[in-house]
Amino acid sequence: MEQARTAQLMQWQHTVPGRHARAWMHRQVNALVGNTFGYHAIQIGLPHWDLLRANRIANKFCTVDTESVDIVRKGLVICVPEQLPFESESVDLMVLPHALECSAQPHQILREVERVLRPEGKAIFAGLNPYSLWGLRDRIPGLESHLPVAPAQYVSQARLEDWLELLSFDVTQANQGVYMPYCQSRRWLHRWAFMDTLALRGWPLQGAVYVVEAIKRVNAAKMVGLEWKRVPPKFKSRAVAAARRDANM
């Protein structure tokens, strides 16, 4: 089922609304990965969409869950995102485009991200928002959904942030975009483009897509106890004053 969702998502990204959403997310991810440094960077899924191109890390990989992929790309790794074949705390940057909504086990993917990332490593998630005009389209009776994944499978930004907090991640940036209705025509897409401008002025609805950046935090243990060999200065001064009084007597 996960492979079918991924295949549908890849085809959908070549449609008019799919290209529009993809372009917005790509700009957001490029801004986040451009100044990220380290030794290893990994993109989870969608190998036809290179989201690590703007990053300067030397060792870049991209996972794919099937061998029958017609994408020629350096660093392809065949695996499922729920079981990553990478050592613990060995990756500096991970990009996950639509990985959670394409999986039946999004919690397991997040656990693998937490395991593989090194302390202070960065994870970037791009996904579809169920609480948007696009997500509501599937809930309106009589309207056929053209989205690749049912909105019931989406992971909202708020839920993702809650899950990341439980795994000791700090969400450092979170942006939403594409506020217009679902349009299959480029002409109507341009007509509704003014809604993105209204979003900057307090538009009450949420965007159809989001990009979230999170940093893995590790709380270092600190031993708390008395320092027996260190005498506070105030006790030293009292001892000297007492010795002077004894000498005067």
Side-chain angles (χ1 to χ4, degrees):
M1 181 179 296
E2 287 81 2
Q3 294 182 2
R5 292 178 185 174
T6 303
Q8 293 175 0
L9 184 59
M10 292 174 62
Q11 296 177 0
W12 174 77
Q13 286 188 331
H14 294 287
T15 64
V16 172
R19 287 194 297 266
H20 183 70
R22 174 179 172 178
W24 183 88
M25 288 185 286
H26 205 142
R27 290 192 298 268
Q28 299 297 317
V29 174
N30 281 348
L32 296 176
V33 304
N35 294 324
T36 302
F37 303 95
Y39 297 97
H40 300 94
I42 298 174
Q43 176 178 323
I44 304 299
L46 300 183
H48 71 288
W49 188 13
D50 190 358
L51 288 171
L52 294 174
R53 184 178 302 175
N55 183 261
R56 288 173 283 181
I57 293 178
N59 301 315
K60 301 178 183 178
F61 304 92
C62 181
T63 68
V64 60
D65 56 2
T66 178
E67 296 182 4
S68 59
V69 60
D70 56 354
I71 303 297
V72 179
R73 179 174 173 178
K74 183 180 179 181
L76 284 179
V77 179
I78 301 175
C79 67
V80 294
E82 295 84 2
Q83 297 178 354
L84 298 176
F86 305 109
E87 295 183 0
S88 300
E89 299 185 356
S90 62
V91 179
D92 302 276
L93 171 65
M94 296 186 70
V95 180
L96 298 92
H98 301 292
L100 301 181
E101 59 248 32
C102 289
S103 172
Q105 297 177 305
H107 295 89
Q108 179 59 28
I109 294 180
L110 292 179
R111 283 191 287 267
E112 280 294 275
V113 171
E114 192 277 334
R115 180 187 67 83
V116 169
L117 271 181
R118 67 168 180 82
E120 303 301 319
K122 179 187 296 185
I124 300 174
F125 302 86
L128 296 166
N129 183 15
Y131 306 114
S132 64
L133 293 179
W134 288 21
L136 292 175
R137 179 181 175 85
D138 190 66
R139 294 173 170 85
I140 300 177
L143 292 179
E144 180 184 359
S145 174
H146 296 275
L147 296 174
V149 182
Q153 304 295 329
Y154 296 175
V155 177
S156 67
Q157 177 183 326
R159 179 177 297 182
L160 173 60
E161 292 179 1
D162 289 341
W163 291 351
L164 290 172
E165 183 179 359
L166 292 175
L167 293 172
S168 298
F169 279 84
D170 283 346
V171 175
T172 52
Q173 289 196 44
N175 300 314
Q176 292 186 4
V178 187
Y179 290 83
M180 71 275 294
Y182 191 87
C183 305
Q184 301 185 57
S185 168
R186 187 180 298 275
R187 182 182 63 179
W188 281 102
L189 197 68
H190 289 310
R191 287 185 177 181
W192 288 104
F194 70 92
M195 296 183 68
D196 287 343
T197 304
L198 291 178
L200 301 176
R201 302 177 182 177
W203 182 252
L205 295 179
Q206 298 187 25
V209 292
Y210 62 81
V211 172
V212 173
E213 177 194 68
I215 305 297
K216 177 182 175 181
R217 305 299 188 190
V218 177
N219 297 324
K222 181 179 181 180
M223 300 298 295
V224 179
L226 294 176
E227 299 181 8
W228 298 102
K229 296 182 179 180
R230 185 176 179 180
V231 180
K234 58 181 180 179
F235 292 107
K236 289 183 178 180
S237 60
R238 290 180 181 177
V240 173
R244 290 178 178 176
R245 288 197 299 267
D246 293 341
N248 294 331
M249 292 177 61

